[in-house]
Amino acid sequence: MDRRQPEPAGSLVTRPERLPPLGVRIFCDVEVGQLKRGTVYWARVRWTDPVTKRREVVKKTHNSQDECEAWFDRMRRTAATGLDPGQTLADYIASIGDRWARQIDKTSTFDGYSSGLRLRVVPALGHLPVNMITAGLIDRVIDDWEDKGIGRSTIKNTIAPLVLVLNEAKRDELIERNPADDRARRTAVGRRTGHDEEEAPNPRDFALPDVAALEELVAEVVKAGRHPCWGDMVTMLATTAMRISEASGLEARYVDWDNGIIRVEWQLYPGRGGLVRKRTKGRRRRKVPIIEPLMPTLERLMKGRKPDDRLLRGPRGGVITTATLRDATRWDELVTRLGHPALVRHGLRHTALTWMADAGISLDVLQQVAGHQSPDVTSRYLHPDLSALKAAGESFSAWWSKPGPKPPRLRVIGGGSGPEKSPVDLRQRDSSTSRADRI
């Protein structure tokens, strides 16, 4: 029973190298010969097939004794581990199947990750032996993807499965360290996007500027989609900071009028095999407040609904997803015409969180409403706007003014044994003092 390396799609290899079965004892020898082109080394590996009991032989020509020893070592490791240490990344991915995806959600994440492997990782790196893939090589591949205009999110969803595949290779002892780990942990995936916080996109940048812009957007999506359900979804997202899958999964029983809150516990979206209903992201249940601008829409949606009825449904009763909202309203064209070309559907969640932060909601409450695991993510919505900065400057100026609080009095300490000088009131400094004197 000979195990052969799986042949990658489109490969020109017609006779893949035979490999010894797992656990067999192999015998190696070398024969040296002289040809016109110089000295050649005929290496031979032999073993007994454990099933057929037949003697199997594999031969290969090399240019040096060192090459022969390296080939022998590869065959020994293959027999000892059941894996070829010199196999390509494409061969390894084919050999492990979906084993790399054991810890991810098969209903949602798997499809995107699997596409990333098939469409980008294998074409770029699949021809290379697993043990030759380095962090620097992955950097250059990412740079190439960025040059081709592939988005940040797509690249992250491509690197993530590569990390999982190489983790399996590490467990199989094909590599000692996962070279994609460092790349996956970076704040910005590609080197050219930088690491600085100032270069990272701010979620506030994707929010609507004001309530008037939201009202205009609601009216336009209803007009474009020819149904009020699209406006209801936009209103719900921009006033509750829910994700669109969470809003689609919202049932009447989770609206608590007595306490003025909505309990966000489930999400609903199309997945593998049909609709998928599961807990919210990270399984973090949370509560969001019902604000006054949402009440008319919510009261209308709740009218005549049973406790387990979904509140937000498409024109034909289906599930509203980010794709259906985009297609039904011609979203990209619509928001561009309204002057918000960067606004995506998820930007409505950013809008709600940004406005809540501007309203003075504390960080811990905002984090609870958003459902973020880390306060560092939530704090990005707290960046002050220009009016807040101007108000801060006016407050600080008032502190320094004469009618304001008493400023600090600085005591100048003389050197040596000289007398100690009296305190200096910064407000009483001569305004004509030169800049050099102040320094």
Side-chain angles (χ1 to χ4, degrees):
M1 179 182 65
D2 292 334
R3 293 189 306 104
R4 299 173 184 264
Q5 295 176 335
E7 185 174 342
S11 173
L12 298 178
V13 179
T14 57
R15 296 183 59 186
E17 184 178 36
R18 287 188 296 168
L19 300 172
L22 176 64
V24 299
R25 183 181 179 184
I26 66 174
F27 300 89
C28 307
D29 59 80
V30 180
E31 181 180 350
V32 182
Q34 295 293 332
L35 300 178
K36 292 182 178 180
R37 58 187 175 91
T39 304
V40 294
Y41 299 81
W42 291 291
R44 182 175 64 171
V45 174
R46 295 169 293 149
W47 68 86
T48 300
D49 190 287
V51 177
T52 64
K53 306 302 180 182
R54 292 178 54 186
R55 191 75 162 176
E56 302 290 346
V57 180
V58 177
K59 299 179 181 180
K60 192 171 183 179
T61 304
H62 299 278
N63 295 321
S64 68
Q65 184 70 35
D66 290 340
E67 288 184 8
C68 294
E69 294 299 330
W71 185 61
F72 291 155
D73 182 63
R74 172 185 165 193
M75 289 298 194
R76 293 188 186 101
R77 290 185 60 186
T78 300
T81 64
L83 292 169
D84 176 12
Q87 66 184 306
T88 64
L89 179 62
D91 292 340
Y92 182 69
I93 292 175
S95 68
I96 64 175
D98 293 344
R99 199 175 81 195
W100 59 270
R102 287 177 297 187
Q103 298 180 357
I104 67 174
D105 189 347
K106 294 292 184 68
T107 63
S108 57
T109 311
F110 177 81
D111 287 338
Y113 282 13
S114 181
S115 297
L117 280 179
R118 184 181 69 256
L119 299 178
R120 284 171 289 277
V121 172
V122 172
L125 300 171
H127 62 288
L128 297 173
V130 177
N131 54 15
M132 288 185 61
I133 297 175
T134 64
L137 183 58
I138 296 174
D139 278 337
R140 291 189 286 275
V141 169
I142 292 175
D143 289 342
D144 181 61
W145 290 336
E146 289 176 340
D147 290 340
K148 293 178 180 177
I150 297 177
R152 177 190 302 267
S153 178
T154 301
I155 293 178
K156 290 179 69 175
N157 287 339
T158 301
I159 294 300
L162 176 60
V163 172
L164 297 175
V165 168
L166 294 180
N167 278 340
E168 294 299 321
K170 183 178 178 182
R171 293 188 186 96
D172 288 331
E173 299 184 357
L174 293 179
I175 54 177
E176 295 182 357
R177 180 179 173 278
N178 187 339
D181 269 342
D182 292 340
R183 178 58 48 208
R185 293 192 188 108
R186 294 177 60 165
T187 302
V189 176
R191 290 182 296 178
R192 297 179 211 185
T193 55
H195 302 280
D196 295 339
E197 183 179 353
E198 294 181 359
E199 295 185 20
N202 189 312
R204 296 178 63 95
D205 297 336
F206 301 105
L208 286 169
D210 49 43
V211 175
L214 173 61
E215 293 174 346
E216 183 183 25
L217 176 63
V218 171
E220 289 297 323
V221 296
V222 171
K223 180 180 178 181
R226 299 180 180 181
H227 199 280
C229 68
W230 311 116
D232 294 340
M233 176 60 79
V234 170
T235 301
M236 183 71 72
L237 298 179
T239 54
T240 64
M242 284 195 285
R243 300 174 179 90
I244 193 168
S245 59
E246 296 168 343
S248 295
L250 179 63
E251 298 174 355
R253 57 180 162 175
Y254 294 115
V255 178
D256 184 352
W257 286 113
D258 295 335
N259 294 305
I261 61 170
I262 297 174
R263 302 199 312 273
V264 185
E265 300 188 7
W266 296 93
Q267 56 180 329
L268 185 67
Y269 58 90
R272 304 186 81 192
L275 288 178
V276 176
R277 182 177 184 265
K278 67 175 186 178
R279 290 294 183 183
T280 54
K281 186 176 180 179
R283 297 184 176 272
R284 291 184 290 274
R285 304 179 187 181
R286 64 188 193 275
K287 301 179 180 69
V288 299
I290 301 174
I291 63 173
E292 186 174 346
L294 175 62
M295 286 184 179
T297 300
L298 197 57
E299 288 173 349
R300 175 169 49 82
L301 293 174
M302 288 286 291
K303 188 175 181 179
R305 296 295 173 89
K306 298 178 181 179
D308 58 349
D309 286 345
R310 290 187 291 110
L311 296 186
L312 292 162
R313 292 185 267 190
R316 300 180 181 179
V319 176
I320 298 177
T321 67
T322 184
T324 57
L325 177 58
R326 177 198 62 206
D327 296 341
T329 62
R330 297 181 178 270
W331 181 275
D332 295 338
E333 298 175 11
L334 188 149
V335 295
T336 300
R337 177 166 50 83
L338 295 179
H340 317 296
L343 181 68
V344 294
R345 276 71 63 201
H346 195 68
L348 299 171
R349 170 174 160 86
H350 295 318
T351 296
L353 293 174
T354 297
W355 291 355
M356 289 180 188
D358 291 345
I361 296 178
S362 61
L363 177 61
D364 58 329
V365 175
L366 192 63
Q367 180 184 355
Q368 180 181 353
V369 170
H372 292 152
Q373 183 176 8
S374 169
D376 293 340
V377 178
T378 312
S379 64
R380 301 179 66 193
Y381 292 94
L382 300 180
H383 292 178
D385 55 21
L386 292 179
S387 60
L389 288 173
K390 182 179 179 181
E394 292 174 352
S395 297
F396 196 36
S397 297
W399 186 89
W400 284 96
S401 65
K402 290 184 178 181
K406 187 177 181 180
R409 297 174 64 83
L410 306 181
R411 183 179 297 277
V412 180
I413 307 299
S417 58
E420 187 176 283
K421 297 183 179 180
S422 60
V424 178
D425 189 336
L426 294 183
R427 291 183 306 186
Q428 299 175 358
R429 292 286 299 269
D430 186 359
S431 60
S432 64
T433 304
S434 67
R435 182 176 184 275
D437 293 339
R438 294 182 183 182
I439 295 176

